[in-house]
mmCIF file with all atom_site columns, all heavy atoms in Angstrom:
data_model
loop_
_atom_site.group_PDB
_atom_site.id
_atom_site.type_symbol
_atom_site.label_atom_id
_atom_site.label_alt_id
_atom_site.label_comp_id
_atom_site.label_asym_id
_atom_site.label_entity_id
_atom_site.label_seq_id
_atom_site.pdbx_PDB_ins_code
_atom_site.Cartn_x
_atom_site.Cartn_y
_atom_site.Cartn_z
_atom_site.occupancy
_atom_site.B_iso_or_equiv
_atom_site.pdbx_formal_charge
_atom_site.auth_seq_id
_atom_site.auth_comp_id
_atom_site.auth_asym_id
_atom_site.auth_atom_id
_atom_site.pdbx_PDB_model_num
ATOM 1   N N   . THR A 1 1  ? -93.457 -72.492 157.851 1.00 0.00 ? 27 THR A N   1
ATOM 2   C CA  . THR A 1 1  ? -93.406 -72.916 156.461 1.00 0.00 ? 27 THR A CA  1
ATOM 3   C C   . THR A 1 1  ? -92.135 -72.440 155.775 1.00 0.00 ? 27 THR A C   1
ATOM 4   O O   . THR A 1 1  ? -91.774 -72.951 154.738 1.00 0.00 ? 27 THR A O   1
ATOM 5   C CB  . THR A 1 1  ? -94.605 -72.358 155.669 1.00 0.00 ? 27 THR A CB  1
ATOM 6   O OG1 . THR A 1 1  ? -94.580 -70.938 155.732 1.00 0.00 ? 27 THR A OG1 1
ATOM 7   C CG2 . THR A 1 1  ? -95.912 -72.904 156.210 1.00 0.00 ? 27 THR A CG2 1
ATOM 8   N N   . GLU A 1 2  ? -91.484 -71.455 156.372 1.00 0.00 ? 28 GLU A N   1
ATOM 9   C CA  . GLU A 1 2  ? -90.326 -70.862 155.739 1.00 0.00 ? 28 GLU A CA  1
ATOM 10  C C   . GLU A 1 2  ? -89.289 -70.576 156.817 1.00 0.00 ? 28 GLU A C   1
ATOM 11  O O   . GLU A 1 2  ? -89.599 -69.960 157.821 1.00 0.00 ? 28 GLU A O   1
ATOM 12  C CB  . GLU A 1 2  ? -90.779 -69.537 155.113 1.00 0.00 ? 28 GLU A CB  1
ATOM 13  C CG  . GLU A 1 2  ? -90.077 -69.127 153.891 1.00 0.00 ? 28 GLU A CG  1
ATOM 14  C CD  . GLU A 1 2  ? -90.733 -67.904 153.291 1.00 0.00 ? 28 GLU A CD  1
ATOM 15  O OE1 . GLU A 1 2  ? -90.629 -66.828 153.871 1.00 0.00 ? 28 GLU A OE1 1
ATOM 16  O OE2 . GLU A 1 2  ? -91.358 -68.043 152.241 1.00 0.00 ? 28 GLU A OE2 1
ATOM 17  N N   . PRO A 1 3  ? -88.040 -70.995 156.645 1.00 0.00 ? 29 PRO A N   1
ATOM 18  C CA  . PRO A 1 3  ? -87.035 -70.697 157.663 1.00 0.00 ? 29 PRO A CA  1
ATOM 19  C C   . PRO A 1 3  ? -86.743 -69.203 157.721 1.00 0.00 ? 29 PRO A C   1
ATOM 20  O O   . PRO A 1 3  ? -86.859 -68.498 156.722 1.00 0.00 ? 29 PRO A O   1
ATOM 21  C CB  . PRO A 1 3  ? -85.805 -71.479 157.206 1.00 0.00 ? 29 PRO A CB  1
ATOM 22  C CG  . PRO A 1 3  ? -86.036 -71.758 155.767 1.00 0.00 ? 29 PRO A CG  1
ATOM 23  C CD  . PRO A 1 3  ? -87.524 -71.772 155.558 1.00 0.00 ? 29 PRO A CD  1
ATOM 24  N N   . LEU A 1 4  ? -86.368 -68.727 158.908 1.00 0.00 ? 30 LEU A N   1
ATOM 25  C CA  . LEU A 1 4  ? -86.066 -67.316 159.074 1.00 0.00 ? 30 LEU A CA  1
ATOM 26  C C   . LEU A 1 4  ? -84.802 -66.908 158.352 1.00 0.00 ? 30 LEU A C   1
ATOM 27  O O   . LEU A 1 4  ? -84.623 -65.765 157.994 1.00 0.00 ? 30 LEU A O   1
ATOM 28  C CB  . LEU A 1 4  ? -85.908 -66.982 160.573 1.00 0.00 ? 30 LEU A CB  1
ATOM 29  C CG  . LEU A 1 4  ? -87.200 -66.986 161.361 1.00 0.00 ? 30 LEU A CG  1
ATOM 30  C CD1 . LEU A 1 4  ? -86.915 -66.700 162.820 1.00 0.00 ? 30 LEU A CD1 1
ATOM 31  C CD2 . LEU A 1 4  ? -88.167 -65.955 160.824 1.00 0.00 ? 30 LEU A CD2 1
ATOM 32  N N   . ASP A 1 5  ? -83.897 -67.834 158.167 1.00 0.00 ? 31 ASP A N   1
ATOM 33  C CA  . ASP A 1 5  ? -82.622 -67.471 157.570 1.00 0.00 ? 31 ASP A CA  1
ATOM 34  C C   . ASP A 1 5  ? -82.632 -67.701 156.067 1.00 0.00 ? 31 ASP A C   1
ATOM 35  O O   . ASP A 1 5  ? -81.825 -68.443 155.528 1.00 0.00 ? 31 ASP A O   1
ATOM 36  C CB  . ASP A 1 5  ? -81.481 -68.231 158.227 1.00 0.00 ? 31 ASP A CB  1
ATOM 37  C CG  . ASP A 1 5  ? -81.657 -69.739 158.137 1.00 0.00 ? 31 ASP A CG  1
ATOM 38  O OD1 . ASP A 1 5  ? -82.763 -70.203 157.805 1.00 0.00 ? 31 ASP A OD1 1
ATOM 39  O OD2 . ASP A 1 5  ? -80.694 -70.442 158.393 1.00 0.00 ? 31 ASP A OD2 1
ATOM 40  N N   . GLN A 1 6  ? -83.548 -67.049 155.389 1.00 0.00 ? 32 GLN A N   1
ATOM 41  C CA  . GLN A 1 6  ? -83.626 -67.170 153.942 1.00 0.00 ? 32 GLN A CA  1
ATOM 42  C C   . GLN A 1 6  ? -82.319 -66.696 153.331 1.00 0.00 ? 32 GLN A C   1
ATOM 43  O O   . GLN A 1 6  ? -81.748 -65.705 153.747 1.00 0.00 ? 32 GLN A O   1
ATOM 44  C CB  . GLN A 1 6  ? -84.768 -66.306 153.403 1.00 0.00 ? 32 GLN A CB  1
ATOM 45  C CG  . GLN A 1 6  ? -86.110 -66.856 153.693 1.00 0.00 ? 32 GLN A CG  1
ATOM 46  C CD  . GLN A 1 6  ? -86.348 -68.145 152.964 1.00 0.00 ? 32 GLN A CD  1
ATOM 47  O OE1 . GLN A 1 6  ? -86.021 -68.274 151.801 1.00 0.00 ? 32 GLN A OE1 1
ATOM 48  N NE2 . GLN A 1 6  ? -86.893 -69.120 153.640 1.00 0.00 ? 32 GLN A NE2 1
ATOM 49  N N   . GLU A 1 7  ? -81.865 -67.389 152.303 1.00 0.00 ? 33 GLU A N   1
ATOM 50  C CA  . GLU A 1 7  ? -80.673 -66.975 151.604 1.00 0.00 ? 33 GLU A CA  1
ATOM 51  C C   . GLU A 1 7  ? -81.046 -65.853 150.650 1.00 0.00 ? 33 GLU A C   1
ATOM 52  O O   . GLU A 1 7  ? -81.979 -65.975 149.871 1.00 0.00 ? 33 GLU A O   1
ATOM 53  C CB  . GLU A 1 7  ? -80.081 -68.136 150.819 1.00 0.00 ? 33 GLU A CB  1
ATOM 54  C CG  . GLU A 1 7  ? -79.554 -69.237 151.702 1.00 0.00 ? 33 GLU A CG  1
ATOM 55  C CD  . GLU A 1 7  ? -78.969 -70.376 150.896 1.00 0.00 ? 33 GLU A CD  1
ATOM 56  O OE1 . GLU A 1 7  ? -78.775 -70.223 149.677 1.00 0.00 ? 33 GLU A OE1 1
ATOM 57  O OE2 . GLU A 1 7  ? -78.706 -71.406 151.508 1.00 0.00 ? 33 GLU A OE2 1
ATOM 58  N N   . PRO A 1 8  ? -80.304 -64.755 150.694 1.00 0.00 ? 34 PRO A N   1
ATOM 59  C CA  . PRO A 1 8  ? -80.578 -63.672 149.756 1.00 0.00 ? 34 PRO A CA  1
ATOM 60  C C   . PRO A 1 8  ? -80.293 -64.112 148.327 1.00 0.00 ? 34 PRO A C   1
ATOM 61  O O   . PRO A 1 8  ? -79.441 -64.959 148.087 1.00 0.00 ? 34 PRO A O   1
ATOM 62  C CB  . PRO A 1 8  ? -79.598 -62.570 150.172 1.00 0.00 ? 34 PRO A CB  1
ATOM 63  C CG  . PRO A 1 8  ? -79.069 -62.980 151.489 1.00 0.00 ? 34 PRO A CG  1
ATOM 64  C CD  . PRO A 1 8  ? -79.261 -64.453 151.625 1.00 0.00 ? 34 PRO A CD  1
ATOM 65  N N   . VAL A 1 9  ? -81.005 -63.521 147.405 1.00 0.00 ? 35 VAL A N   1
ATOM 66  C CA  . VAL A 1 9  ? -80.772 -63.813 146.006 1.00 0.00 ? 35 VAL A CA  1
ATOM 67  C C   . VAL A 1 9  ? -79.680 -62.877 145.534 1.00 0.00 ? 35 VAL A C   1
ATOM 68  O O   . VAL A 1 9  ? -79.784 -61.659 145.660 1.00 0.00 ? 35 VAL A O   1
ATOM 69  C CB  . VAL A 1 9  ? -82.062 -63.603 145.180 1.00 0.00 ? 35 VAL A CB  1
ATOM 70  C CG1 . VAL A 1 9  ? -81.798 -63.813 143.711 1.00 0.00 ? 35 VAL A CG1 1
ATOM 71  C CG2 . VAL A 1 9  ? -83.135 -64.539 145.690 1.00 0.00 ? 35 VAL A CG2 1
ATOM 72  N N   . ALA A 1 10 ? -78.634 -63.422 145.007 1.00 0.00 ? 36 ALA A N   1
ATOM 73  C CA  . ALA A 1 10 ? -77.486 -62.630 144.589 1.00 0.00 ? 36 ALA A CA  1
ATOM 74  C C   . ALA A 1 10 ? -77.748 -61.970 143.238 1.00 0.00 ? 36 ALA A C   1
ATOM 75  O O   . ALA A 1 10 ? -78.638 -62.362 142.492 1.00 0.00 ? 36 ALA A O   1
ATOM 76  C CB  . ALA A 1 10 ? -76.254 -63.514 144.505 1.00 0.00 ? 36 ALA A CB  1
ATOM 77  N N   . SER A 1 11 ? -76.943 -61.000 142.937 1.00 0.00 ? 37 SER A N   1
ATOM 78  C CA  . SER A 1 11 ? -77.032 -60.297 141.661 1.00 0.00 ? 37 SER A CA  1
ATOM 79  C C   . SER A 1 11 ? -76.787 -61.265 140.509 1.00 0.00 ? 37 SER A C   1
ATOM 80  O O   . SER A 1 11 ? -75.985 -62.176 140.602 1.00 0.00 ? 37 SER A O   1
ATOM 81  C CB  . SER A 1 11 ? -75.984 -59.182 141.642 1.00 0.00 ? 37 SER A CB  1
ATOM 82  O OG  . SER A 1 11 ? -75.871 -58.659 140.352 1.00 0.00 ? 37 SER A OG  1
ATOM 83  N N   . THR A 1 12 ? -77.446 -61.040 139.392 1.00 0.00 ? 38 THR A N   1
ATOM 84  C CA  . THR A 1 12 ? -77.290 -61.914 138.233 1.00 0.00 ? 38 THR A CA  1
ATOM 85  C C   . THR A 1 12 ? -75.967 -61.671 137.529 1.00 0.00 ? 38 THR A C   1
ATOM 86  O O   . THR A 1 12 ? -75.607 -62.429 136.641 1.00 0.00 ? 38 THR A O   1
ATOM 87  C CB  . THR A 1 12 ? -78.446 -61.713 137.242 1.00 0.00 ? 38 THR A CB  1
ATOM 88  O OG1 . THR A 1 12 ? -78.485 -60.330 136.869 1.00 0.00 ? 38 THR A OG1 1
ATOM 89  C CG2 . THR A 1 12 ? -79.764 -62.142 137.833 1.00 0.00 ? 38 THR A CG2 1
ATOM 90  N N   . ALA A 1 13 ? -75.224 -60.613 137.913 1.00 0.00 ? 39 ALA A N   1
ATOM 91  C CA  . ALA A 1 13 ? -73.948 -60.324 137.280 1.00 0.00 ? 39 ALA A CA  1
ATOM 92  C C   . ALA A 1 13 ? -72.856 -61.298 137.729 1.00 0.00 ? 39 ALA A C   1
ATOM 93  O O   . ALA A 1 13 ? -71.828 -61.408 137.095 1.00 0.00 ? 39 ALA A O   1
ATOM 94  C CB  . ALA A 1 13 ? -73.531 -58.891 137.588 1.00 0.00 ? 39 ALA A CB  1
ATOM 95  N N   . MET A 1 14 ? -73.063 -62.010 138.819 1.00 0.00 ? 40 MET A N   1
ATOM 96  C CA  . MET A 1 14 ? -72.078 -62.957 139.321 1.00 0.00 ? 40 MET A CA  1
ATOM 97  C C   . MET A 1 14 ? -72.255 -64.311 138.655 1.00 0.00 ? 40 MET A C   1
ATOM 98  O O   . MET A 1 14 ? -73.339 -64.650 138.206 1.00 0.00 ? 40 MET A O   1
ATOM 99  C CB  . MET A 1 14 ? -72.268 -63.163 140.826 1.00 0.00 ? 40 MET A CB  1
ATOM 100 C CG  . MET A 1 14 ? -71.810 -62.043 141.670 1.00 0.00 ? 40 MET A CG  1
ATOM 101 S SD  . MET A 1 14 ? -71.935 -62.574 143.377 1.00 0.00 ? 40 MET A SD  1
ATOM 102 C CE  . MET A 1 14 ? -72.935 -61.281 144.011 1.00 0.00 ? 40 MET A CE  1
ATOM 103 N N   . SER A 1 15 ? -71.164 -65.069 138.666 1.00 0.00 ? 41 SER A N   1
ATOM 104 C CA  . SER A 1 15 ? -71.282 -66.440 138.179 1.00 0.00 ? 41 SER A CA  1
ATOM 105 C C   . SER A 1 15 ? -72.102 -67.233 139.191 1.00 0.00 ? 41 SER A C   1
ATOM 106 O O   . SER A 1 15 ? -72.232 -66.843 140.345 1.00 0.00 ? 41 SER A O   1
ATOM 107 C CB  . SER A 1 15 ? -69.903 -67.067 138.011 1.00 0.00 ? 41 SER A CB  1
ATOM 108 O OG  . SER A 1 15 ? -69.355 -67.381 139.276 1.00 0.00 ? 41 SER A OG  1
ATOM 109 N N   . ALA A 1 16 ? -72.615 -68.362 138.770 1.00 0.00 ? 42 ALA A N   1
ATOM 110 C CA  . ALA A 1 16 ? -73.417 -69.201 139.665 1.00 0.00 ? 42 ALA A CA  1
ATOM 111 C C   . ALA A 1 16 ? -72.583 -69.690 140.840 1.00 0.00 ? 42 ALA A C   1
ATOM 112 O O   . ALA A 1 16 ? -73.069 -69.740 141.972 1.00 0.00 ? 42 ALA A O   1
ATOM 113 C CB  . ALA A 1 16 ? -74.000 -70.375 138.899 1.00 0.00 ? 42 ALA A CB  1
ATOM 114 N N   . ASP A 1 17 ? -71.323 -70.031 140.608 1.00 0.00 ? 43 ASP A N   1
ATOM 115 C CA  . ASP A 1 17 ? -70.445 -70.487 141.688 1.00 0.00 ? 43 ASP A CA  1
ATOM 116 C C   . ASP A 1 17 ? -70.214 -69.389 142.719 1.00 0.00 ? 43 ASP A C   1
ATOM 117 O O   . ASP A 1 17 ? -70.298 -69.619 143.924 1.00 0.00 ? 43 ASP A O   1
ATOM 118 C CB  . ASP A 1 17 ? -69.088 -70.948 141.145 1.00 0.00 ? 43 ASP A CB  1
ATOM 119 C CG  . ASP A 1 17 ? -69.181 -72.264 140.383 1.00 0.00 ? 43 ASP A CG  1
ATOM 120 O OD1 . ASP A 1 17 ? -70.198 -72.968 140.542 1.00 0.00 ? 43 ASP A OD1 1
ATOM 121 O OD2 . ASP A 1 17 ? -68.235 -72.567 139.631 1.00 0.00 ? 43 ASP A OD2 1
ATOM 122 N N   . ASP A 1 18 ? -69.922 -68.183 142.233 1.00 0.00 ? 44 ASP A N   1
ATOM 123 C CA  . ASP A 1 18 ? -69.690 -67.056 143.143 1.00 0.00 ? 44 ASP A CA  1
ATOM 124 C C   . ASP A 1 18 ? -70.948 -66.747 143.942 1.00 0.00 ? 44 ASP A C   1
ATOM 125 O O   . ASP A 1 18 ? -70.890 -66.490 145.140 1.00 0.00 ? 44 ASP A O   1
ATOM 126 C CB  . ASP A 1 18 ? -69.265 -65.804 142.373 1.00 0.00 ? 44 ASP A CB  1
ATOM 127 C CG  . ASP A 1 18 ? -67.858 -65.910 141.814 1.00 0.00 ? 44 ASP A CG  1
ATOM 128 O OD1 . ASP A 1 18 ? -67.087 -66.779 142.297 1.00 0.00 ? 44 ASP A OD1 1
ATOM 129 O OD2 . ASP A 1 18 ? -67.527 -65.125 140.914 1.00 0.00 ? 44 ASP A OD2 1
ATOM 130 N N   . SER A 1 19 ? -72.075 -66.761 143.252 1.00 0.00 ? 45 SER A N   1
ATOM 131 C CA  . SER A 1 19 ? -73.339 -66.471 143.895 1.00 0.00 ? 45 SER A CA  1
ATOM 132 C C   . SER A 1 19 ? -73.626 -67.473 145.012 1.00 0.00 ? 45 SER A C   1
ATOM 133 O O   . SER A 1 19 ? -73.986 -67.090 146.129 1.00 0.00 ? 45 SER A O   1
ATOM 134 C CB  . SER A 1 19 ? -74.458 -66.504 142.861 1.00 0.00 ? 45 SER A CB  1
ATOM 135 O OG  . SER A 1 19 ? -75.705 -66.349 143.472 1.00 0.00 ? 45 SER A OG  1
ATOM 136 N N   . LEU A 1 20 ? -73.451 -68.734 144.723 1.00 0.00 ? 46 LEU A N   1
ATOM 137 C CA  . LEU A 1 20 ? -73.688 -69.780 145.715 1.00 0.00 ? 46 LEU A CA  1
ATOM 138 C C   . LEU A 1 20 ? -72.726 -69.664 146.883 1.00 0.00 ? 46 LEU A C   1
ATOM 139 O O   . LEU A 1 20 ? -73.113 -69.804 148.042 1.00 0.00 ? 46 LEU A O   1
ATOM 140 C CB  . LEU A 1 20 ? -73.581 -71.158 145.061 1.00 0.00 ? 46 LEU A CB  1
ATOM 141 C CG  . LEU A 1 20 ? -73.913 -72.357 145.937 1.00 0.00 ? 46 LEU A CG  1
ATOM 142 C CD1 . LEU A 1 20 ? -75.332 -72.255 146.478 1.00 0.00 ? 46 LEU A CD1 1
ATOM 143 C CD2 . LEU A 1 20 ? -73.750 -73.644 145.143 1.00 0.00 ? 46 LEU A CD2 1
ATOM 144 N N   . TRP A 1 21 ? -71.479 -69.388 146.600 1.00 0.00 ? 47 TRP A N   1
ATOM 145 C CA  . TRP A 1 21 ? -70.447 -69.229 147.622 1.00 0.00 ? 47 TRP A CA  1
ATOM 146 C C   . TRP A 1 21 ? -70.806 -68.096 148.583 1.00 0.00 ? 47 TRP A C   1
ATOM 147 O O   . TRP A 1 21 ? -70.758 -68.252 149.794 1.00 0.00 ? 47 TRP A O   1
ATOM 148 C CB  . TRP A 1 21 ? -69.117 -68.976 146.914 1.00 0.00 ? 47 TRP A CB  1
ATOM 149 C CG  . TRP A 1 21 ? -67.915 -68.853 147.785 1.00 0.00 ? 47 TRP A CG  1
ATOM 150 C CD1 . TRP A 1 21 ? -67.482 -69.730 148.733 1.00 0.00 ? 47 TRP A CD1 1
ATOM 151 C CD2 . TRP A 1 21 ? -66.978 -67.783 147.771 1.00 0.00 ? 47 TRP A CD2 1
ATOM 152 N NE1 . TRP A 1 21 ? -66.327 -69.276 149.306 1.00 0.00 ? 47 TRP A NE1 1
ATOM 153 C CE2 . TRP A 1 21 ? -65.988 -68.079 148.724 1.00 0.00 ? 47 TRP A CE2 1
ATOM 154 C CE3 . TRP A 1 21 ? -66.870 -66.608 147.037 1.00 0.00 ? 47 TRP A CE3 1
ATOM 155 C CZ2 . TRP A 1 21 ? -64.914 -67.238 148.969 1.00 0.00 ? 47 TRP A CZ2 1
ATOM 156 C CZ3 . TRP A 1 21 ? -65.785 -65.780 147.277 1.00 0.00 ? 47 TRP A CZ3 1
ATOM 157 C CH2 . TRP A 1 21 ? -64.831 -66.101 148.236 1.00 0.00 ? 47 TRP A CH2 1
ATOM 158 N N   . ILE A 1 22 ? -71.220 -66.955 148.029 1.00 0.00 ? 48 ILE A N   1
ATOM 159 C CA  . ILE A 1 22 ? -71.576 -65.802 148.853 1.00 0.00 ? 48 ILE A CA  1
ATOM 160 C C   . ILE A 1 22 ? -72.876 -66.056 149.606 1.00 0.00 ? 48 ILE A C   1
ATOM 161 O O   . ILE A 1 22 ? -73.004 -65.719 150.785 1.00 0.00 ? 48 ILE A O   1
ATOM 162 C CB  . ILE A 1 22 ? -71.654 -64.525 147.992 1.00 0.00 ? 48 ILE A CB  1
ATOM 163 C CG1 . ILE A 1 22 ? -70.241 -64.159 147.520 1.00 0.00 ? 48 ILE A CG1 1
ATOM 164 C CG2 . ILE A 1 22 ? -72.288 -63.375 148.763 1.00 0.00 ? 48 ILE A CG2 1
ATOM 165 C CD1 . ILE A 1 22 ? -70.184 -63.064 146.495 1.00 0.00 ? 48 ILE A CD1 1
ATOM 166 N N   . ARG A 1 23 ? -73.856 -66.665 148.958 1.00 0.00 ? 49 ARG A N   1
ATOM 167 C CA  . ARG A 1 23 ? -75.130 -66.958 149.621 1.00 0.00 ? 49 ARG A CA  1
ATOM 168 C C   . ARG A 1 23 ? -74.926 -67.874 150.829 1.00 0.00 ? 49 ARG A C   1
ATOM 169 O O   . ARG A 1 23 ? -75.537 -67.682 151.875 1.00 0.00 ? 49 ARG A O   1
ATOM 170 C CB  . ARG A 1 23 ? -76.112 -67.583 148.636 1.00 0.00 ? 49 ARG A CB  1
ATOM 171 C CG  . ARG A 1 23 ? -76.596 -66.570 147.597 1.00 0.00 ? 49 ARG A CG  1
ATOM 172 C CD  . ARG A 1 23 ? -77.293 -67.224 146.460 1.00 0.00 ? 49 ARG A CD  1
ATOM 173 N NE  . ARG A 1 23 ? -78.617 -67.669 146.839 1.00 0.00 ? 49 ARG A NE  1
ATOM 174 C CZ  . ARG A 1 23 ? -79.386 -68.377 146.046 1.00 0.00 ? 49 ARG A CZ  1
ATOM 175 N NH1 . ARG A 1 23 ? -78.984 -68.722 144.851 1.00 0.00 ? 49 ARG A NH1 1
ATOM 176 N NH2 . ARG A 1 23 ? -80.589 -68.737 146.446 1.00 0.00 ? 49 ARG A NH2 1
ATOM 177 N N   . ARG A 1 24 ? -74.078 -68.881 150.661 1.00 0.00 ? 50 ARG A N   1
ATOM 178 C CA  . ARG A 1 24 ? -73.804 -69.785 151.783 1.00 0.00 ? 50 ARG A CA  1
ATOM 179 C C   . ARG A 1 24 ? -73.121 -69.052 152.930 1.00 0.00 ? 50 ARG A C   1
ATOM 180 O O   . ARG A 1 24 ? -73.440 -69.282 154.090 1.00 0.00 ? 50 ARG A O   1
ATOM 181 C CB  . ARG A 1 24 ? -72.938 -70.949 151.319 1.00 0.00 ? 50 ARG A CB  1
ATOM 182 C CG  . ARG A 1 24 ? -73.686 -71.963 150.499 1.00 0.00 ? 50 ARG A CG  1
ATOM 183 C CD  . ARG A 1 24 ? -72.780 -73.089 150.070 1.00 0.00 ? 50 ARG A CD  1
ATOM 184 N NE  . ARG A 1 24 ? -73.513 -74.081 149.302 1.00 0.00 ? 50 ARG A NE  1
ATOM 185 C CZ  . ARG A 1 24 ? -72.949 -74.942 148.505 1.00 0.00 ? 50 ARG A CZ  1
ATOM 186 N NH1 . ARG A 1 24 ? -71.634 -74.974 148.351 1.00 0.00 ? 50 ARG A NH1 1
ATOM 187 N NH2 . ARG A 1 24 ? -73.684 -75.814 147.838 1.00 0.00 ? 50 ARG A NH2 1
ATOM 188 N N   . ALA A 1 25 ? -72.182 -68.187 152.604 1.00 0.00 ? 51 ALA A N   1
ATOM 189 C CA  . ALA A 1 25 ? -71.490 -67.427 153.643 1.00 0.00 ? 51 ALA A CA  1
ATOM 190 C C   . ALA A 1 25 ? -72.458 -66.470 154.347 1.00 0.00 ? 51 ALA A C   1
ATOM 191 O O   . ALA A 1 25 ? -72.444 -66.356 155.577 1.00 0.00 ? 51 ALA A O   1
ATOM 192 C CB  . ALA A 1 25 ? -70.318 -66.651 153.042 1.00 0.00 ? 51 ALA A CB  1
#
């Protein structure tokens, strides 16, 4: 039901773009 490679939730101090960029990496 859930993939093993869950994307971590980034800190709210980052911009949404930065957060998404780091989560994808």
Side-chain angles (χ1 to χ4, degrees):
T27 59
E28 212 173 70
L30 288 178
D31 58 346
Q32 287 294 317
E33 293 180 11
V35 176
S37 169
T38 57
M40 286 187 235
S41 74
D43 289 343
D44 289 342
S45 175
L46 185 58
W47 183 53
I48 291 171
R49 290 167 75 186
R50 286 180 179 160

